[in-house]
Amino acid sequence: MTTTITICDTCKRDDWTSASGRTDGEALAELVEALSSDAAEVRTRRHSCLMGCSRACNVALQSPGKMAYTLGGFEPSEDVAAGLIDYAARHAASANGVVPYRDWPAAIKGHFVTRHPPLPE
């Protein structure tokens, strides 16, 4: 089954400046998209505003019938992008979307904001 990473492309960290010409969310989205091209079980999409502005760079991980998660407070980096993709692949491979803590990539530990049970069918 596939897990979708939704990346907020309007997120701006507190230290954001317009010098780069893009938001921190756009920078994170570009990194995640580039690194996920080889992960068949992971899809990405962008969405403007996940309403987690106090913990910018926000992402949501979702898959039908599985626990869903919101994560935030990231710095856009290749390490973070790789951690998100690794976690999403583990989420996709799990039966219920729950990945044991021992298997979480270090780059995402401490960044979980919420989890949501699957919608009833």
Side-chain angles (χ1 to χ4, degrees), residues 16-53:
W16 179 80
T17 66
S18 61
S20 72
R22 62 187 176 165
T23 65
D24 294 318
E26 289 171 317
L28 181 59
E30 289 172 13
L31 291 165
V32 172
E33 290 162 352
L35 293 177
S36 69
S37 61
D38 292 334
E41 66 282 348
V42 176
R43 276 193 224 139
T44 63
R45 66 179 182 165
R46 296 182 187 204
H47 185 77
S48 294
C49 196
L50 292 178
M51 297 182 74
C53 303

Side-chain angles (χ1 to χ4, degrees), residues 57-80:
C57 289
N58 294 285
V59 300
L61 286 100
Q62 301 165 291
S63 186
K66 295 184 178 188
M67 293 295 286
Y69 298 91
T70 305
L71 298 88
F74 291 113
E75 191 172 310
S77 71
E78 282 193 20
D79 187 43
V80 167

